Amino acid sequence: LTEDHRRAKELATVLEQMSWVASVEPVETNILIFSLVPQVSEAQLIEKLKQKNILISSMGQGKLRIVTHLDYREVMHTYVLETLEKLVV
């Protein structure tokens, strides 16, 4: 669980740098919640990530959720971090 929390915080750090992210809620567990800027479609972002085998959940009204868990390995984490850094939406 400690690793899941670390990974969630690292994802938050990357998302905070993205121009398409309006805000990232404080990360206290393995759940990361962030909001998109109004110009970015939730559905389009979810689909772009899905095409790269990254699944995230919509919470509605521009809020999205990422959960790190036991089956989310370090190699996957590195891939997700790199994908988010390069993502153009």
Side-chain angles (χ1 to χ4, degrees):
L1 203 54
T2 303
E3 287 299 302
D4 295 334
H5 293 187
R6 175 188 60 81
R7 291 176 181 138
K9 286 181 180 183
E10 289 176 357
L11 289 168
T13 299
V14 167
L15 286 171
E16 288 170 345
Q17 308 305 311
M18 301 295 99
S19 61
W20 41 270
V21 173
S23 65
V24 178
E25 294 185 11
V27 177
E28 297 176 15
T29 65
N30 63 324
I31 299 171
L32 167 65
I33 298 171
F34 65 101
S35 298
L36 299 174
V37 294
Q39 314 81 287
V40 176
S41 159
E42 276 179 63
Q44 285 180 330
L45 178 63
I46 290 170
E47 183 56 34
K48 278 188 179 193
L49 291 173
K50 186 177 177 184
Q51 289 173 6
K52 298 181 181 300
N53 293 317
I54 299 170
L55 304 178
I56 66 173
S57 304
S58 169
M59 298 178 68
Q61 299 175 331
K63 275 192 173 184
L64 297 162
R65 182 177 86 142
I66 299 173
V67 179
T68 59
H69 52 80
L70 183 62
D71 296 327
Y72 179 70
R73 308 257 185 254
E74 193 64 29
V75 65
M76 299 163 129
H77 181 59
T78 301
Y79 171 74
V80 172
L81 289 171
E82 290 173 355
T83 301
L84 289 172
E85 288 172 344
K86 296 174 188 170
L87 195 65
V88 176
V89 291

